[in-house]
Amino acid sequence: MGRQEELVALSESFEEARKGNVTAVLLGGEAGVGKSRLVQRFAEQHAADGAHVLFGGCVELSTEGLAYAPFTAALRQLVREQGPAAVAGLLPDGAERDLARLLPEFGEPNGDGETDTGRARLFEQFLTLLERLSELRPTILLIEDIHWADRSSRDLIAFLSRNLHAPQVLIVMTYRSDDLHRQHPLRPVLAELGRVNGVHRLDLPRLSRDEVAQQMAGILGKVPEYARVQKVYESSEGIPLFVEALLEGGAECTFPDSIQDLILASVERLPEETQRVLRIAAAGGIRVGHALLAAVSGLSDVELESALRPAIAGNVLQIADNRAYVFRHALIREAVHDELLPGEHQRLHARFAEEISKDRGLVPPGRAAVELAHHWYGARNDQWALISAWEAAGKSYKAFAYTEAVPLLERVLMLWDRVPDAGELIGADQTAVLERAAVAANAGGDVDKSLKFVKAALAELDETREPGRVAQLIARRAAFKNAKGQLGVIDDLRHALRLVPADGVDRAEVVAPLSRHLMLRGEIAEASELVAEGLRLVREHGDRHLEADLLMNLALGHSISGELESAITVNEQALEIGLQERSGRVITRAISNNIDALIDMGREDEALSLSEDGWRLSKKYGRLRGSGLFIKNNWAEALESIGRWDEAIEIVEGALGHGPVLRTRYALLRLRADIALARGEVEVAEGILSEIGLFKGRPEEEFVQDVTCNARLLICWHLLRGEPGAAVEVAEHVLARPRQSSKAMLGWRLLALLRVVCDAAEATEPERVAAIREQAAGVAGELSVIGPVAEAYRLAYSGDFDAAAAAWERLKRPHGQANALLRAATAAARGGDREGAAARLKVAMPLAQALRATPLIDAIETLSRRVGGVQQEPSELLTPRELEVLRLVTLGKTNRDIAAELFISAKTVSVHVSNILAKLGATTRGEAAAAAHRLSLL
């Protein structure tokens, strides 16, 4: 009753989804306001029209570790309808092994052991499954009560909402809006989804008085009296569930003192034995299987059915599939459960735990471990609560539900001191629990919590007794610090290296990250020695994954040194190992590295093609949020370099929407800032540079690439704002560092920019500029020039701007070409070749305009006016050259100043001024300026 408007809104969203314009609908409303009935009616309506509707509900237990509950339910329904083989046929080869972690019907789970990729890969399989289903017929995924969703489900909901762009599929989710307190974990998810295109919000309001009257008429079968409607409306406040509860009181329609009493009224009218069984069922959750309820209650099948029949007839309980009972509304179950006495609460949870322990088949597949953890904890049995929490954490870990594993492991740690011989009971010491928790927290994206667990684990160990274990933890801490962008990573890794034995895989496991970080810091020689040592060890022990990692570190050193062909060759060796070992991590990292090398070599067409391949493979291997987003960054870099800036921005913004790790986010933002600065988008650039921390003196970066790129952005920012002195200061700071990279897009690009800084600041800071030029020359003498991109930057640095422009033209890089032409035109104008300058500017202008590079356009226009290369609007009084002279006169310039500005003699200026005064009827320069404004000549 009274929900036609909302039903139409849902149907309109589905129609838009069929066109690919809408991804999801978030339906919010208070408890009891009718969300479930609305979406069920919506589902029935469209199922009758041929849509495929999949149902997945969240249960209150989800927040305690029942991972992916709604998606598992929908997947189970799909398997019942089509069979596991048909479902597997919708996915890429072998992908069903990831789904096997949720449903055993799909066989043995994938055992690649890559914790950082498993969850992402599982997300990709769900996305692919929905896309394939929608190709067969319109599909609706209905997920109720997401306020109870586990963290993994919330993450998957956000992932699907951002990435599901296929037509003919819609996700509809309901949640209790009145349950979302300030710290509720769903609030940030809703805020995030509110910013996603294609996600609609729909709020279900309370019923109006007329709608309550309609509902009452439907229940009573007749039009109710006005007074009764008014009384029910005032007491129910328009909540449909409460309207029903009030009418169940009969003709007298008594009105309890509280909502709790109102909800319990329908229960208290039932027989005492029925109420007893309902209390037992409430301890089991909103849904309880018949066999489990019979075992816990001690009743036979016949006795249980007789006890429950009144509750079913009274619409307190409903019968679900698979011989299960469901409370009609979660509020009813909550009210009954809240009435349990403390001792009764513990005893009932203990009974459920005991019966599930005897026969795990009493609960749905995959739920026994978390159900036991829930019930033993509710029973206050510390020993079994600890054991079951450890087991449930292991199951969650195996299912890629790392965020659900963490609170279970925290419970193990909390109970540790209460349970004698806890380590023997679970087969692991406390440090092992902390180690597992650290890995799980990191895999779930909570790096801060990971660091806390590692710190606690290290406090439990003595490095003199267990040096290898301490080294592993220190290396893990270094990885977490790196993810957070913190300093001290190399110091940690050096410490770990001192602890591990000189000969063994353990040493190679530390050598791999240490050599990579040293390469990134520019310490190529030391890093190369470590790589050679590591390769010898891993080849002796047969660790192919580590071998690939070390090869890619070696290729990284080649890249930073500018040896790009060598970098590509070594990366391809690592890629071959990745393909042989089916390691998505290695494959995507090697591809990402080679895209970067191809861009530095000016081979953008190959880079773009490889980017598309790499993105596709990153999705296949579940590396989308890891290497996949860095591939997106490289893809955008290739587009930016060849002037396809709008496409580059689109890719950057899409990648940022995936929530990349901090370093990848900064890389994407730097690229966006490059375009913003080139287009004069001051506010965009300022926001990005502020986020990166360039205005507040953040701790010095350790990596050559970060240092160089940050310095370049800051210099461009100051030049854009007309602050050459500040740009000089940044130049001095970056040149004071001991190492620069021969990589074209780093060292040579920086040197070309430093020449711009020096030319801009020479008149005001001659001594500092001379020092910078001297230092830059020293750096240039040490850098190698390998490839056409490095050569183009070298030509720009050396001042051979025409050759640089030609080089950029061959590379099809329009911004570099236009800039070089502007610099060449400036030099020509200073040498008196105004026609040559104008000719160069004529070529540069359309390049800059196509890019919408406003600062460059302005600079070209300004110089064009000075050399007479731009024809202004015709004037009946003055020639274009006279107009330009008049413009400078109004600025208070002397004849000598004007001559220097326009590259003509002072005598010629004097002639122009005389002609202007005569034509304007002015006797002084001031009168001429006033006439220019009065006549709107300028």
Side-chain angles (χ1 to χ4, degrees), residues 482-558:
N482 182 54
K484 290 286 292 179
Q486 296 178 1
L487 303 181
V489 173
I490 288 181
D491 291 339
D492 272 356
L493 291 171
R494 290 192 192 280
H495 183 188
L497 191 65
R498 289 193 296 271
L499 295 175
V500 291
D503 195 16
V505 174
D506 287 348
R507 184 173 181 83
E509 288 176 347
V510 178
V511 162
L514 177 56
S515 59
R516 180 171 181 270
H517 280 80
L518 288 170
M519 291 289 191
L520 288 168
R521 207 162 75 170
E523 299 179 14
I524 309 297
E526 181 185 357
S528 298
E529 291 179 8
L530 284 169
V531 168
E533 178 189 358
L535 285 171
R536 176 183 60 78
L537 292 172
V538 297
R539 285 167 178 165
E540 287 176 1
H541 292 85
D543 192 321
R544 299 282 280 162
H545 288 85
L546 264 180
E547 181 181 0
D549 286 336
L550 288 161
L551 285 170
M552 288 186 286
N553 291 351
L554 183 61
L556 176 62
H558 290 319

Side-chain angles (χ1 to χ4, degrees), residues 497-769:
L497 191 65
R498 289 193 296 271
L499 295 175
V500 291
D503 195 16
V505 174
D506 287 348
R507 184 173 181 83
E509 288 176 347
V510 178
V511 162
L514 177 56
S515 59
R516 180 171 181 270
H517 280 80
L518 288 170
M519 291 289 191
L520 288 168
R521 207 162 75 170
E523 299 179 14
I524 309 297
E526 181 185 357
S528 298
E529 291 179 8
L530 284 169
V531 168
E533 178 189 358
L535 285 171
R536 176 183 60 78
L537 292 172
V538 297
R539 285 167 178 165
E540 287 176 1
H541 292 85
D543 192 321
R544 299 282 280 162
H545 288 85
L546 264 180
E547 181 181 0
D549 286 336
L550 288 161
L551 285 170
M552 288 186 286
N553 291 351
L554 183 61
L556 176 62
H558 290 319
S559 175
I560 292 174
S561 299
E563 301 165 8
L564 301 173
E565 290 288 359
S566 298
I568 289 176
T569 300
V570 176
N571 274 321
E572 286 177 347
Q573 294 174 20
L575 177 60
E576 184 60 32
I577 293 174
L579 293 169
Q580 292 171 3
E581 300 296 317
R582 298 178 61 84
S583 171
R585 180 182 59 79
V586 171
I587 291 169
T588 52
R589 183 185 164 197
I591 287 175
S592 176
N593 291 346
N594 271 352
I595 296 169
D596 182 68
L598 289 169
I599 295 170
D600 269 320
M601 297 174 75
R603 292 158 57 179
E604 275 79 13
D605 289 343
E606 294 173 67
L608 290 173
S609 177
L610 190 58
S611 295
E612 293 185 27
D613 291 342
W615 178 245
R616 176 179 52 79
L617 289 169
S618 70
K619 294 177 69 176
K620 174 182 177 180
Y621 288 109
R623 301 291 305 179
L624 187 147
R625 291 186 65 188
S627 302
L629 293 185
F630 213 84
I631 286 172
K632 278 278 189 178
N633 177 69
N634 291 336
W635 192 343
E637 282 183 351
L639 290 168
E640 185 272 339
S641 68
I642 57 176
R644 290 162 61 178
W645 288 359
D646 291 332
E647 293 174 70
I649 291 172
E650 184 178 349
I651 285 181
V652 167
E653 291 177 348
L656 289 171
H658 286 291
V661 298
L662 192 62
R663 286 197 177 278
T664 303
R665 177 175 179 80
Y666 281 0
L668 289 161
L669 288 174
R670 288 186 187 105
L671 179 59
R672 180 64 183 93
D674 272 323
I675 298 174
L677 290 166
R679 282 184 166 168
E681 299 168 341
V682 176
E683 290 184 5
V684 175
E686 185 174 14
I688 293 173
L689 269 57
S690 294
E691 179 176 341
I692 295 173
L694 300 192
F695 295 144
K696 57 186 179 183
R698 60 176 293 171
E700 188 70 32
E701 295 279 3
E702 292 185 326
F703 296 164
V704 170
Q705 181 160 324
D706 294 340
V707 172
T708 306
C709 291
N710 286 349
R712 178 172 50 75
L713 289 174
L714 202 50
I715 287 171
C716 289
W717 166 258
H718 289 307
L719 291 177
L720 178 64
R721 288 167 55 88
E723 301 167 346
V728 165
E729 186 175 344
V730 179
E732 291 169 337
H733 183 72
V734 73
L735 284 173
R737 291 183 61 87
R739 284 175 293 275
Q740 299 295 335
S741 170
S742 291
K743 189 174 181 180
M745 299 296 281
L746 293 181
W748 284 114
R749 187 179 186 182
L750 178 65
L751 287 178
L753 180 61
L754 293 185
R755 181 181 181 102
V756 177
V757 173
C758 290
D759 290 348
E762 186 124 43
T764 56
E765 302 278 0
E767 294 181 2
R768 296 172 72 187
V769 164

Side-chain angles (χ1 to χ4, degrees), residues 12 135 216 225 261 304 319 372 401 411 422 508 553 693 876 886:
E12 289 176 348
E135 291 171 2
M216 292 175 66
E225 301 87 350
D261 293 338
L304 180 60
I319 299 175
L372 285 169
R411 183 181 297 172
N553 291 351
E876 295 180 1
L886 177 59

Side-chain angles (χ1 to χ4, degrees), residues 82-159:
Q82 301 185 10
V87 176
L90 297 172
L91 298 168
D93 290 342
E96 71 277 5
R97 294 178 64 195
D98 290 320
L99 300 183
R101 296 177 183 273
L102 304 183
L103 284 185
E105 288 90 334
F106 290 108
E108 283 297 314
N110 192 312
D112 64 6
E114 291 187 357
T115 58
D116 60 337
T117 64
R119 193 171 82 134
R121 195 170 56 244
L122 182 64
F123 285 16
E124 291 293 337
Q125 311 310 3
F126 267 108
L127 176 63
T128 301
L129 183 59
L130 287 174
E131 290 172 340
R132 297 293 179 270
L133 286 170
S134 68
E135 291 171 2
L136 302 175
R137 58 173 165 154
T139 300
I140 298 170
L141 174 59
L142 177 57
I143 305 176
E144 291 203 67
D145 299 319
I146 63 171
H147 53 277
W148 283 333
D150 57 282
R151 167 69 185 276
S152 292
S153 291
R154 293 196 301 271
D155 289 348
L156 182 49
I157 284 168
F159 174 84

Side-chain angles (χ1 to χ4, degrees), residues 242-497:
F242 300 163
V243 173
E244 292 178 7
L246 287 166
L247 293 182
E248 287 170 1
E252 297 301 319
C253 196
T254 56
F255 296 90
D257 294 331
S258 68
I259 295 299
Q260 178 92 346
D261 293 338
L262 173 62
I263 295 171
L264 286 173
S266 60
V267 176
E268 291 171 345
R269 287 191 292 270
L270 299 172
E272 181 58 37
E273 179 63 6
T274 302
Q275 293 186 47
R276 185 183 76 85
V277 177
L278 285 177
R279 288 195 294 273
I280 297 171
I286 195 170
R287 176 191 180 102
V288 186
H290 176 90
L292 177 58
L293 190 54
V296 174
S297 65
L299 299 175
S300 67
D301 287 345
V302 174
E303 290 170 335
L304 180 60
E305 289 163 357
S306 298
L308 292 179
R309 196 173 303 280
I312 294 169
N315 201 25
V316 173
L317 277 188
Q318 296 174 342
I319 299 175
D321 53 358
N322 294 331
R323 298 194 72 201
Y325 303 106
V326 182
F327 282 89
R328 175 168 60 93
H329 198 284
L331 286 175
I332 300 175
R333 182 257 164 190
E334 292 168 14
V336 174
H337 187 266
D338 289 345
E339 289 293 298
L340 294 175
L341 298 173
E344 186 180 19
H345 180 276
Q346 291 185 25
R347 286 195 303 275
L348 287 177
H349 278 293
R351 288 289 299 124
F352 273 101
E354 289 162 359
E355 294 302 329
I356 296 171
S357 296
K358 293 176 187 175
D359 181 4
R360 297 195 172 204
L362 292 172
V363 295
R367 286 183 54 169
V370 73
E371 292 272 3
L372 285 169
H374 170 71
H375 288 301
W376 281 127
Y377 189 64
R380 302 296 186 266
N381 186 315
D382 290 344
Q383 177 174 313
W384 282 105
L386 180 142
I387 294 170
S388 58
W390 176 251
E391 181 194 357
K395 297 285 186 182
S396 295
Y397 200 96
K398 190 175 181 180
F400 303 138
Y402 306 113
T403 48
E404 282 61 58
V406 172
L408 290 164
L409 292 167
E410 287 177 322
R411 183 181 297 172
V412 172
L413 294 167
M414 179 189 70
L415 295 170
W416 195 269
D417 292 335
R418 302 185 199 171
V419 179
D421 303 321
E424 294 180 11
L425 291 171
I426 65 172
D429 62 15
Q430 190 173 13
T431 305
V433 179
L434 288 164
E435 289 172 323
R436 174 61 66 93
V439 174
N442 181 62
D446 194 339
V447 182
D448 288 328
K449 186 169 282 188
S450 303
L451 283 165
K452 291 177 182 176
F453 285 133
V454 168
K455 184 177 179 180
L458 285 169
E460 297 288 323
L461 298 176
D462 181 347
E463 69 176 48
T464 61
R465 295 182 179 179
E466 297 181 89
R469 197 173 184 186
V470 171
Q472 288 182 339
L473 281 167
I474 292 175
R476 188 166 291 151
R477 181 177 68 189
F480 297 161
K481 281 184 177 181
N482 182 54
K484 290 286 292 179
Q486 296 178 1
L487 303 181
V489 173
I490 288 181
D491 291 339
D492 272 356
L493 291 171
R494 290 192 192 280
H495 183 188
L497 191 65

